[in-house]
């Protein structure tokens, strides 16, 4: 695996590979990699793409400074994992490389309604920060395909919208890869490594609640009751739900009741100790 720290070196290499007829698969990450990220690398490799992964912990997307300070860093382990997975290129830019004029002066993107619900509502400015960095990375890498994890369901919607705003929707294939889960169902996330042992053992309740919402959707149970049952279950284990919601899976318009005529997604955000976790499940 080749590691580049500057976009100039990266571009030179990408251009040389394009001249050889290769197409580019891109996986943007913030590092602290796990099997979920590796599944994205595998997807890109399976479609014969030159596989480029970036690791950059983007300060612009953290609305909580403490969350940014505590974000796990594991670059040596990440390099081992990426090399073993057969990733071709790691792009490891500095803050200066991504934001030469500072994050606050980078081009802003807005996502309208998507900024007002769920993660958008709970983390003001978060998606604007994601938009800034992903736009910069897409301009640097100019990939043919972009691979992102479905665990960040709303982020996938935001980035698809970003590609449209950038006029890239027809040029970049957006591939949303399935959420990878631990044996007990907990969605893989870099944040899981901040859980202590008892917290880790309890965190799978989030997944159990999603499964319960899915099964209750088939029975068409009143959603308010289902959501309260889930909230009570979490609170009994000292997990603080931020939202337990269902939404139209395409528009992310929140729904107050199950609608058998719609493709729906159930979404949960909850704090396990001071670690904020999110997960989701398509429910029909
Ligand atoms: O999902 C992430 O890891 C980040 O939000 C992303 C897409 C790499 C942008 O910083």
């Amino acid at each position: 695996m080749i590691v580049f720290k500057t976009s100039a070196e990266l571009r030179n290499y990408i251009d040389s590979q394009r001249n050889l007829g290769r197409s580019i698969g891109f996986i943007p990450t913030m590092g602290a990699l796990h099997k979920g990220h590796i599944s994205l690398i595998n997807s890109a490799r399976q479609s014969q793409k030159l596989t480029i992964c970036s690791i950059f912990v983007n300060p612009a997307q953290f609305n909580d400074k403490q969350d940014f300070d505590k974000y796990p860093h594991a670059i040596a382990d990440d390099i081992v994992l990426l090399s073993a997975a057969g990733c071709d290129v790691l792009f490891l830019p500095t803050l200066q490389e991504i934001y030469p004029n500072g994050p606050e002066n980078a081009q802003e993107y807005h996502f309208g309604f998507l900024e007002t619900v769920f993660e958008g509502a709970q983390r003001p400015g978060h998606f604007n920060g994601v938009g800034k960095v992903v736009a910069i990375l897409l301009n640097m890498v100019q990939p043919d395909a972009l691979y992102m994890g479905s665990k960040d369901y709303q982020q996938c919607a935001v980035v698809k919208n970003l590609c449209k705003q950038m006029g890239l929707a027809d040029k970049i294939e957006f591939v949303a890869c399935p959420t990878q889960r631990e044996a007990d169902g907990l969605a893989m996330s870099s944040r899981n490594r901040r859980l202590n042992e008892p917290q880790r053992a309890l965190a799978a309740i989030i997944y159990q609640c999603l499964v319960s919402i899915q099964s209750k959707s088939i029975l068409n149970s009143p959603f308010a009751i289902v959501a309260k049952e889930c909230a009570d279950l979490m609170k009994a284990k000292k997990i603080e739900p931020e939202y337990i919601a269902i939404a139209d899976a395409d528009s992310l318009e929140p729904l107050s009741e199950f609608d058998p005529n719609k493709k729906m997604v159930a979404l949960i955000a909850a704090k396990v100790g001071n670690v904020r976790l999110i997960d989701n499940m398509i429910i029909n």
Side-chain angles (χ1 to χ4, degrees):
M1 183 174 71
I2 314 174
V3 182
F4 294 117
K5 295 198 169 169
T6 67
S7 59
E9 289 167 309
L10 177 71
R11 274 262 37 101
N12 262 337
Y13 184 72
I14 292 175
D15 290 345
S16 71
Q17 293 297 303
R18 277 210 188 281
N19 289 339
L20 297 174
R22 301 220 50 194
S23 62
I24 312 298
F26 179 46
I27 299 102
T29 81
M30 297 204 298
L33 303 180
H34 50 70
K35 286 186 194 148
H37 296 111
I38 298 307
S39 75
L40 308 180
I41 305 284
N42 291 340
S43 295
R45 277 171 47 79
Q46 271 154 23
S47 58
Q48 316 294 319
K49 302 267 189 301
L50 179 84
T51 304
I52 303 182
C53 174
S54 65
I55 296 182
F56 177 69
V57 184
N58 173 33
Q61 72 187 71
F62 288 83
N63 54 323
D64 174 353
K65 166 95 174 60
Q66 281 195 1
D67 195 24
F68 175 64
D69 291 342
K70 287 193 201 136
Y71 201 83
H73 293 256
I75 194 65
D77 292 349
D78 290 349
I79 289 176
V80 171
L81 279 175
L82 288 173
S83 304
C87 180
D88 298 300
V89 175
L90 169 60
F91 181 43
L92 204 54
T94 59
L95 184 69
Q96 172 72 19
E97 187 68 20
I98 295 291
Y99 296 121
N101 302 314
E104 56 294 345
N105 294 314
Q107 159 111 41
E108 290 255 357
Y109 291 89
H110 293 281
F111 302 98
F113 169 74
L114 286 173
E115 283 178 38
T116 66
V117 289
F118 311 122
E119 291 306 283
Q122 297 293 325
R123 303 180 67 188
H126 167 65
F127 287 132
N128 308 103
V130 171
K132 276 184 183 178
V133 78
V134 175
I136 291 167
L137 289 167
L138 289 180
N139 281 328
M140 288 176 170
V141 178
Q142 299 171 18
D144 300 284
L146 175 62
Y147 297 82
M148 299 188 80
S150 297
K151 184 187 76 77
D152 297 304
Y153 192 88
Q154 195 173 358
Q155 174 170 272
C156 287
V158 161
V159 172
K160 277 190 218 163
N161 180 301
L162 174 72
C163 289
K164 267 195 200 141
Q165 291 189 47
M166 294 176 74
L168 295 173
D170 296 336
K171 296 198 179 97
I172 301 180
E173 180 196 359
F174 185 92
V175 186
C177 298
T179 303
Q180 300 298 305
R181 298 186 179 279
E182 304 289 354
D184 63 359
L186 176 67
M188 290 186 186
S189 163
S190 305
R191 290 166 192 267
N192 293 353
R193 54 178 90 189
R194 287 178 46 209
L195 299 169
N196 63 28
E197 238 175 76
Q199 289 170 340
R200 168 63 193 83
L202 293 174
I205 289 174
I206 297 172
Y207 169 73
Q208 287 157 19
C209 286
L210 288 169
V211 172
S212 152
I213 295 172
Q214 188 179 50
S215 57
K216 302 273 169 66
S217 77
I218 297 161
L219 305 171
N220 219 354
S221 310
F223 181 66
I225 295 178
V226 178
K228 184 168 182 318
E229 281 168 5
C230 291
D232 290 347
L233 190 68
M234 287 192 213
K235 285 179 188 161
K237 304 285 181 192
K238 302 234 172 341
I239 295 180
E240 257 322 297
E242 265 182 22
Y243 57 79
I244 299 169
I246 49 173
D248 180 298
D250 297 320
S251 66
L252 277 169
E253 192 82 48
L255 298 170
S256 52
E257 293 300 346
F258 294 117
D259 181 344
N261 300 315
K262 278 200 165 115
K263 184 177 164 205
M264 294 176 283
V265 60
L267 303 131
I268 295 181
K271 272 192 149 179
V272 185
N274 62 7
V275 184
R276 187 173 183 279
L277 300 178
I278 59 171
D279 198 357
N280 68 81
M281 192 173 281
I282 295 291
I283 53 173
N284 66 349

Coordinates of all heavy atoms in Angstrom, one line a residue, residues 165-243:
Q165 N -25.3 18.4 -5.6 CA -25.0 19.8 -5.6 C -23.7 20.1 -6.3 O -23.5 21.2 -6.9 CB -24.9 20.3 -4.1 CG -26.2 20.3 -3.3 CD -26.0 21.1 -2.0 OE1 -25.4 22.1 -1.9 NE2 -26.5 20.4 -1.0
M166 N -22.8 19.2 -6.3 CA -21.5 19.3 -6.9 C -21.5 19.0 -8.4 O -20.5 19.0 -9.1 CB -20.4 18.5 -6.2 CG -20.1 19.0 -4.8 SD -18.9 17.9 -4.0 CE -17.4 18.3 -4.8
G167 N -22.7 18.5 -8.9 CA -22.8 18.1 -10.3 C -22.1 16.8 -10.5 O -21.7 16.5 -11.7
L168 N -22.0 15.9 -9.5 CA -21.2 14.7 -9.6 C -22.1 13.4 -9.6 O -21.6 12.3 -9.7 CB -20.1 14.6 -8.5 CG -19.0 15.6 -8.5 CD1 -18.2 15.5 -7.3 CD2 -18.2 15.5 -9.8
A169 N -23.4 13.7 -9.4 CA -24.3 12.5 -9.2 C -24.2 11.5 -10.3 O -24.2 10.3 -10.1 CB -25.7 12.9 -9.0
D170 N -24.0 12.0 -11.6 CA -23.9 11.0 -12.7 C -22.5 10.5 -12.9 O -22.2 9.5 -13.6 CB -24.3 11.7 -14.0 CG -25.7 12.1 -14.0 OD1 -26.5 11.5 -13.2 OD2 -26.1 13.1 -14.7
K171 N -21.5 11.1 -12.2 CA -20.1 10.7 -12.5 C -19.6 9.7 -11.4 O -18.7 9.0 -11.6 CB -19.2 12.0 -12.4 CG -19.5 12.9 -13.5 CD -18.3 13.9 -13.7 CE -18.5 14.9 -14.9 NZ -19.0 16.1 -14.4
I172 N -20.2 9.8 -10.2 CA -19.7 9.0 -9.1 C -20.9 8.0 -8.7 O -22.0 8.4 -8.4 CB -19.4 9.8 -7.9 CG1 -18.3 10.8 -8.2 CG2 -18.9 8.9 -6.7 CD1 -17.8 11.7 -7.1
E173 N -20.5 6.7 -8.7 CA -21.5 5.7 -8.3 C -21.4 5.7 -6.7 O -20.3 5.6 -6.1 CB -21.1 4.4 -8.8 CG -22.0 3.2 -8.4 CD -21.4 1.9 -8.6 OE1 -20.2 1.8 -9.1 OE2 -22.1 0.9 -8.3
F174 N -22.6 5.9 -6.1 CA -22.6 5.9 -4.6 C -23.0 4.5 -4.1 O -24.0 4.0 -4.5 CB -23.6 7.0 -4.1 CG -23.6 7.1 -2.6 CD1 -22.8 8.0 -2.0 CD2 -24.3 6.2 -1.8 CE1 -22.7 8.1 -0.6 CE2 -24.2 6.3 -0.4 CZ -23.4 7.2 0.2
V175 N -22.1 3.9 -3.4 CA -22.3 2.5 -2.9 C -22.5 2.6 -1.4 O -21.5 2.8 -0.6 CB -21.2 1.6 -3.3 CG1 -21.5 0.1 -2.9 CG2 -20.9 1.7 -4.8
A176 N -23.7 2.3 -0.9 CA -24.0 2.3 0.5 C -23.9 0.8 1.0 O -24.6 0.0 0.5 CB -25.4 2.8 0.8
C177 N -22.9 0.5 1.8 CA -22.6 -0.9 2.1 C -23.3 -1.2 3.4 O -23.5 -0.4 4.3 CB -21.1 -1.1 2.3 SG -20.2 -0.8 0.8
P178 N -23.7 -2.5 3.6 CA -24.5 -2.9 4.8 C -23.7 -2.7 6.1 O -22.5 -2.8 6.1 CB -24.8 -4.4 4.6 CG -24.3 -4.7 3.2 CD -23.5 -3.6 2.7
T179 N -24.4 -2.4 7.1 CA -23.8 -2.2 8.5 C -23.2 -3.5 8.9 O -23.9 -4.6 8.8 CB -24.9 -1.8 9.5 OG1 -25.5 -0.6 9.0 CG2 -24.4 -1.6 10.9
Q180 N -22.0 -3.5 9.4 CA -21.4 -4.7 9.9 C -21.7 -4.7 11.4 O -21.6 -3.7 12.1 CB -19.9 -4.7 9.7 CG -19.5 -4.7 8.2 CD -20.0 -5.9 7.4 OE1 -19.7 -7.0 7.8 NE2 -20.8 -5.6 6.4
R181 N -22.0 -5.9 11.9 CA -22.4 -6.0 13.4 C -21.5 -7.0 14.1 O -21.0 -8.0 13.5 CB -23.8 -6.5 13.5 CG -24.8 -5.5 12.8 CD -26.3 -5.8 13.0 NE -27.0 -4.7 12.4 CZ -27.3 -3.6 12.9 NH1 -26.9 -3.3 14.2 NH2 -28.0 -2.6 12.3
E182 N -21.4 -6.8 15.4 CA -20.7 -7.7 16.3 C -21.6 -8.9 16.5 O -22.8 -8.8 16.1 CB -20.4 -7.1 17.7 CG -19.6 -5.8 17.6 CD -18.1 -6.0 17.2 OE1 -17.7 -7.2 17.1 OE2 -17.4 -5.0 17.0
A183 N -21.1 -10.0 17.2 CA -22.0 -11.2 17.3 C -23.3 -10.9 18.0 O -24.3 -11.5 17.7 CB -21.2 -12.2 18.1
D184 N -23.3 -9.9 19.0 CA -24.5 -9.6 19.7 C -25.4 -8.6 19.0 O -26.4 -8.1 19.5 CB -24.2 -9.2 21.1 CG -23.4 -7.9 21.2 OD1 -23.0 -7.4 20.1 OD2 -23.1 -7.4 22.3
G185 N -25.0 -8.2 17.8 CA -25.8 -7.2 17.0 C -25.3 -5.8 17.0 O -25.7 -5.0 16.2
L186 N -24.5 -5.4 18.0 CA -24.0 -4.0 18.1 C -23.3 -3.6 16.7 O -22.5 -4.3 16.2 CB -23.0 -3.9 19.2 CG -22.4 -2.5 19.3 CD1 -23.4 -1.4 19.7 CD2 -21.2 -2.5 20.4
A187 N -23.8 -2.5 16.2 CA -23.2 -2.0 15.0 C -21.7 -1.7 15.2 O -21.4 -1.0 16.2 CB -24.0 -0.8 14.5
M188 N -20.9 -2.1 14.3 CA -19.5 -1.7 14.4 C -19.3 -0.2 14.2 O -19.9 0.4 13.3 CB -18.6 -2.5 13.4 CG -18.6 -4.0 13.7 SD -17.5 -4.9 12.7 CE -17.8 -6.5 13.2
S189 N -18.5 0.3 15.1 CA -18.3 1.8 15.1 C -16.9 2.1 15.8 O -16.6 1.4 16.7 CB -19.4 2.5 15.8 OG -19.0 3.8 16.1
S190 N -16.2 3.1 15.3 CA -15.0 3.4 15.9 C -15.2 3.8 17.4 O -14.3 3.7 18.2 CB -14.3 4.6 15.2 OG -14.2 4.3 13.8
R191 N -16.4 4.4 17.6 CA -16.7 4.8 19.0 C -16.8 3.7 20.0 O -16.7 3.9 21.2 CB -18.0 5.6 19.0 CG -17.8 7.0 18.3 CD -19.2 7.6 18.1 NE -19.1 8.7 17.2 CZ -18.9 10.0 17.6 NH1 -18.9 10.3 18.8 NH2 -18.8 11.0 16.7
N192 N -17.1 2.4 19.5 CA -17.3 1.3 20.4 C -16.1 1.1 21.3 O -16.2 0.6 22.4 CB -17.6 0.0 19.6 CG -18.9 0.1 18.9 OD1 -19.7 1.0 19.1 ND2 -19.2 -0.9 18.1
R193 N -14.9 1.5 20.8 CA -13.7 1.2 21.5 C -13.6 2.1 22.8 O -12.7 1.9 23.6 CB -12.4 1.2 20.7 CG -12.1 2.4 19.9 CD -10.8 2.3 19.2 NE -10.9 1.7 17.8 CZ -9.9 1.3 17.1 NH1 -8.7 1.4 17.5 NH2 -10.1 0.7 15.9
R194 N -14.5 3.1 22.8 CA -14.5 4.0 24.0 C -15.4 3.4 25.1 O -15.5 4.0 26.2 CB -14.9 5.4 23.6 CG -13.8 6.2 22.9 CD -14.3 7.5 22.5 NE -15.0 8.3 23.5 CZ -15.9 9.2 23.3 NH1 -16.3 9.5 22.1 NH2 -16.5 9.8 24.3
L195 N -16.1 2.3 24.8 CA -17.0 1.7 25.8 C -16.2 0.9 26.8 O -15.3 0.1 26.3 CB -18.0 0.8 25.1 CG -19.0 1.5 24.1 CD1 -19.8 0.4 23.4 CD2 -20.0 2.4 24.9
N196 N -16.5 1.0 28.1 CA -15.8 0.0 29.0 C -16.6 -1.3 28.9 O -17.6 -1.4 28.2 CB -15.7 0.6 30.4 CG -17.1 0.8 31.0 OD1 -18.1 0.2 30.7 ND2 -17.2 1.8 31.9
E197 N -16.1 -2.3 29.6 CA -16.7 -3.7 29.5 C -18.2 -3.8 29.8 O -18.9 -4.3 28.9 CB -15.9 -4.7 30.3 CG -15.3 -5.8 29.5 CD -14.4 -6.7 30.3 OE1 -15.0 -7.5 31.0 OE2 -13.2 -6.6 30.2
P198 N -18.6 -3.3 30.9 CA -20.0 -3.3 31.2 C -20.9 -2.5 30.2 O -21.9 -3.0 29.8 CB -20.2 -2.7 32.6 CG -18.8 -2.5 33.2 CD -17.8 -2.7 32.1
Q199 N -20.4 -1.4 29.8 CA -21.1 -0.6 28.8 C -21.2 -1.3 27.5 O -22.2 -1.4 26.8 CB -20.4 0.8 28.5 CG -20.5 1.7 29.7 CD -19.6 2.9 29.5 OE1 -18.6 2.9 28.7 NE2 -19.9 4.0 30.2
R200 N -20.1 -2.0 27.1 CA -20.0 -2.7 25.8 C -21.1 -3.8 25.9 O -21.8 -4.1 24.9 CB -18.6 -3.3 25.6 CG -18.5 -4.3 24.5 CD -18.9 -3.7 23.1 NE -19.0 -4.8 22.1 CZ -20.2 -5.5 22.0 NH1 -21.2 -5.2 22.7 NH2 -20.2 -6.4 21.0
A201 N -21.2 -4.5 27.1 CA -22.2 -5.6 27.2 C -23.6 -5.1 27.0 O -24.4 -5.8 26.5 CB -22.0 -6.3 28.5
L202 N -23.9 -3.9 27.5 CA -25.2 -3.4 27.4 C -25.6 -2.7 26.1 O -26.7 -2.6 25.7 CB -25.4 -2.3 28.5 CG -25.4 -2.8 29.9 CD1 -25.4 -1.6 30.9 CD2 -26.6 -3.7 30.2
A203 N -24.5 -2.3 25.3 CA -24.8 -1.5 24.1 C -25.6 -2.2 23.0 O -26.3 -1.5 22.2 CB -23.5 -1.0 23.5
A204 N -25.6 -3.5 23.1 CA -26.4 -4.3 22.0 C -27.9 -4.1 22.2 O -28.7 -4.4 21.3 CB -26.0 -5.7 22.1
I205 N -28.3 -3.5 23.3 CA -29.8 -3.2 23.5 C -30.3 -2.3 22.4 O -31.4 -2.4 22.0 CB -30.0 -2.5 24.9 CG1 -29.8 -3.6 26.0 CG2 -31.4 -1.9 25.0 CD1 -29.8 -3.1 27.4
I206 N -29.4 -1.4 21.9 CA -29.8 -0.5 20.8 C -30.2 -1.4 19.6 O -31.3 -1.1 19.0 CB -28.6 0.4 20.4 CG1 -28.3 1.3 21.6 CG2 -29.0 1.2 19.2 CD1 -27.0 2.2 21.4
Y207 N -29.5 -2.4 19.3 CA -29.8 -3.3 18.2 C -31.1 -4.1 18.5 O -32.0 -4.2 17.6 CB -28.6 -4.3 17.9 CG -29.0 -5.4 17.0 CD1 -29.1 -5.2 15.6 CD2 -29.1 -6.7 17.5 CE1 -29.4 -6.2 14.8 CE2 -29.4 -7.7 16.6 CZ -29.6 -7.5 15.3 OH -29.9 -8.5 14.4
Q208 N -31.2 -4.5 19.7 CA -32.4 -5.3 20.1 C -33.6 -4.4 20.0 O -34.7 -4.9 19.5 CB -32.3 -5.8 21.6 CG -31.3 -6.9 21.7 CD -30.7 -7.1 23.1 OE1 -31.3 -6.6 24.1 NE2 -29.6 -7.7 23.3
C209 N -33.5 -3.2 20.3 CA -34.7 -2.3 20.1 C -35.0 -2.1 18.6 O -36.2 -2.1 18.3 CB -34.4 -0.9 20.7 SG -34.4 -0.9 22.5
L210 N -34.0 -2.0 17.8 CA -34.3 -1.9 16.3 C -35.0 -3.2 15.8 O -36.0 -3.1 15.1 CB -33.0 -1.7 15.5 CG -32.4 -0.3 15.7 CD1 -31.0 -0.3 15.1 CD2 -33.2 0.8 15.1
V211 N -34.6 -4.3 16.3 CA -35.2 -5.6 15.9 C -36.7 -5.6 16.4 O -37.6 -6.0 15.7 CB -34.4 -6.8 16.5 CG1 -35.2 -8.1 16.2 CG2 -33.0 -6.9 15.8
S212 N -36.8 -5.1 17.6 CA -38.2 -5.1 18.2 C -39.1 -4.2 17.4 O -40.2 -4.5 17.1 CB -38.1 -4.7 19.7 OG -39.2 -4.1 20.1
I213 N -38.6 -3.0 17.0 CA -39.3 -2.1 16.2 C -39.7 -2.7 14.9 O -40.8 -2.7 14.4 CB -38.6 -0.7 15.9 CG1 -38.4 0.0 17.3 CG2 -39.3 0.1 14.9 CD1 -37.4 1.2 17.2
Q214 N -38.7 -3.5 14.3 CA -39.0 -4.1 13.0 C -40.1 -5.1 13.2 O -41.1 -5.2 12.4 CB -37.7 -4.8 12.5 CG -37.9 -5.4 11.1 CD -36.6 -6.1 10.7 OE1 -36.0 -6.9 11.4 NE2 -36.1 -5.7 9.6
S215 N -40.1 -5.9 14.3 CA -41.1 -7.0 14.4 C -42.5 -6.3 14.7 O -43.5 -6.8 14.2 CB -40.8 -8.0 15.4 OG -40.5 -7.4 16.6
K216 N -42.5 -5.2 15.5 CA -43.8 -4.6 15.8 C -44.3 -3.8 14.6 O -45.5 -3.6 14.5 CB -43.6 -3.6 17.0 CG -43.0 -4.2 18.3 CD -44.1 -4.7 19.1 CE -43.6 -5.5 20.3 NZ -42.9 -4.9 21.3
S217 N -43.5 -3.5 13.6 CA -44.0 -2.8 12.4 C -44.9 -3.8 11.6 O -45.8 -3.4 11.0 CB -42.9 -2.3 11.6 OG -42.3 -3.4 10.8
I218 N -44.5 -5.1 11.7 CA -45.3 -6.1 11.0 C -46.7 -6.2 11.6 O -47.7 -6.4 10.9 CB -44.6 -7.5 11.0 CG1 -43.2 -7.3 10.2 CG2 -45.4 -8.6 10.3 CD1 -42.2 -8.4 10.6
L219 N -46.8 -6.0 12.9 CA -48.0 -6.1 13.6 C -48.8 -4.8 13.6 O -49.9 -4.7 14.1 CB -47.8 -6.5 15.1 CG -47.0 -7.8 15.4 CD1 -46.6 -7.9 16.8 CD2 -47.8 -9.0 14.9
N220 N -48.1 -3.8 13.0 CA -48.7 -2.4 12.9 C -49.0 -1.9 14.3 O -50.1 -1.2 14.5 CB -49.9 -2.4 12.0 CG -49.9 -1.2 11.2 OD1 -49.1 -0.3 11.4 ND2 -50.9 -1.1 10.2
S221 N -48.2 -2.1 15.3 CA -48.5 -1.6 16.7 C -48.4 -0.1 16.7 O -47.6 0.5 15.9 CB -47.5 -2.2 17.6 OG -47.4 -3.6 17.5
P222 N -49.0 0.6 17.6 CA -48.9 2.0 17.7 C -47.4 2.4 18.0 O -46.8 1.9 19.0 CB -49.8 2.4 18.9 CG -50.7 1.3 19.1 CD -50.0 0.0 18.6
F223 N -46.8 3.3 17.2 CA -45.4 3.5 17.3 C -45.0 4.1 18.7 O -44.0 3.8 19.2 CB -44.8 4.3 16.1 CG -43.3 4.5 16.3 CD1 -42.5 3.4 16.2 CD2 -42.8 5.7 16.6 CE1 -41.1 3.5 16.4 CE2 -41.4 5.9 16.7 CZ -40.6 4.8 16.7
A224 N -45.9 5.0 19.2 CA -45.6 5.7 20.4 C -45.3 4.7 21.5 O -44.4 4.8 22.4 CB -46.7 6.7 20.8
I225 N -46.1 3.6 21.6 CA -46.0 2.6 22.6 C -44.7 1.8 22.4 O -43.9 1.6 23.3 CB -47.2 1.7 22.6 CG1 -48.5 2.5 23.0 CG2 -47.0 0.5 23.5 CD1 -49.8 1.7 23.0
V226 N -44.4 1.5 21.1 CA -43.2 0.7 20.8 C -42.0 1.5 21.2 O -41.0 1.0 21.9 CB -43.2 0.4 19.3 CG1 -41.9 -0.3 19.0 CG2 -44.4 -0.4 18.9
A227 N -42.0 2.8 20.9 CA -40.8 3.7 21.2 C -40.7 3.8 22.7 O -39.5 3.8 23.2 CB -41.1 5.1 20.6
K228 N -41.8 3.9 23.4 CA -41.7 4.0 24.9 C -41.1 2.8 25.5 O -40.3 2.8 26.4 CB -43.1 4.4 25.5 CG -43.0 4.6 27.0 CD -44.2 5.2 27.6 CE -44.0 5.5 29.1 NZ -43.3 4.4 29.9
E229 N -41.6 1.6 25.0 CA -41.0 0.3 25.5 C -39.5 0.3 25.3 O -38.8 -0.1 26.2 CB -41.6 -0.8 24.7 CG -43.0 -1.2 25.2 CD -43.7 -2.2 24.2 OE1 -43.0 -2.6 23.2 OE2 -44.9 -2.5 24.4
C230 N -39.1 0.7 24.1 CA -37.6 0.8 23.9 C -36.9 1.7 24.8 O -35.9 1.4 25.4 CB -37.4 1.1 22.4 SG -37.9 -0.1 21.2
A231 N -37.5 2.9 25.0 CA -36.9 3.9 25.8 C -36.8 3.4 27.3 O -35.7 3.5 27.9 CB -37.6 5.2 25.8
D232 N -37.8 2.8 27.7 CA -37.8 2.2 29.1 C -36.8 1.1 29.3 O -36.0 1.1 30.3 CB -39.2 1.6 29.5 CG -40.2 2.7 29.6 OD1 -39.9 3.9 29.7 OD2 -41.5 2.4 29.6
L233 N -36.7 0.3 28.3 CA -35.7 -0.8 28.3 C -34.3 -0.2 28.4 O -33.4 -0.7 29.1 CB -35.8 -1.6 27.0 CG -35.1 -2.9 26.9 CD1 -35.7 -3.9 27.9 CD2 -35.2 -3.5 25.5
M234 N -34.0 0.8 27.6 CA -32.7 1.4 27.6 C -32.4 2.1 28.9 O -31.3 1.9 29.5 CB -32.6 2.5 26.4 CG -32.5 1.8 25.1 SD -32.0 3.1 23.9 CE -32.9 2.6 22.5
K235 N -33.4 2.9 29.3 CA -33.1 3.6 30.6 C -32.9 2.7 31.8 O -32.1 3.0 32.6 CB -34.3 4.6 30.9 CG -34.4 5.8 29.9 CD -35.5 6.7 30.2 CE -35.7 7.7 29.2 NZ -37.0 8.3 29.1
A236 N -33.6 1.5 31.8 CA -33.4 0.6 32.9 C -31.9 0.1 32.9 O -31.5 -0.3 33.9 CB -34.3 -0.6 32.6
K237 N -31.3 0.2 31.8 CA -29.8 -0.2 31.7 C -28.9 1.0 31.7 O -27.8 0.9 31.2 CB -29.6 -1.1 30.5 CG -30.5 -2.3 30.3 CD -30.1 -3.4 31.3 CE -31.0 -4.6 31.1 NZ -30.8 -5.6 32.2
K238 N -29.5 2.1 32.0 CA -28.7 3.4 32.1 C -28.2 3.9 30.7 O -27.1 4.5 30.6 CB -27.5 3.3 33.1 CG -27.9 3.0 34.5 CD -27.4 4.0 35.5 CE -27.9 3.9 36.9 NZ -29.1 3.2 37.2
I239 N -28.9 3.5 29.7 CA -28.6 4.0 28.4 C -29.6 5.1 28.1 O -30.8 4.9 28.3 CB -28.7 2.9 27.3 CG1 -27.6 1.8 27.6 CG2 -28.6 3.4 25.9 CD1 -27.6 0.7 26.6
E240 N -29.1 6.3 27.7 CA -30.0 7.5 27.5 C -30.3 7.6 26.0 O -29.5 8.0 25.2 CB -29.2 8.7 28.0 CG -29.6 9.3 29.3 CD -31.1 9.2 29.6 OE1 -31.9 9.8 28.9 OE2 -31.5 8.5 30.5
P241 N -31.6 7.3 25.7 CA -31.9 7.5 24.2 C -32.0 9.0 23.9 O -32.6 9.8 24.7 CB -33.3 6.8 24.1 CG -33.8 6.7 25.5 CD -32.7 6.8 26.5
E242 N -31.5 9.4 22.7 CA -31.7 10.8 22.3 C -32.9 10.8 21.3 O -33.7 11.7 21.4 CB -30.5 11.2 21.5 CG -29.5 12.0 22.4 CD -28.3 12.5 21.6 OE1 -28.3 12.7 20.4 OE2 -27.3 12.8 22.3
Y243 N -33.0 9.8 20.4 CA -34.2 9.7 19.6 C -34.4 8.2 19.3 O -33.4 7.5 19.1 CB -34.2 10.6 18.4 CG -33.1 10.4 17.4 CD1 -33.0 9.3 16.5 CD2 -32.0 11.3 17.4 CE1 -32.0 9.2 15.6 CE2 -31.0 11.2 16.5 CZ -31.0 10.1 15.6 OH -29.9 9.9 14.7

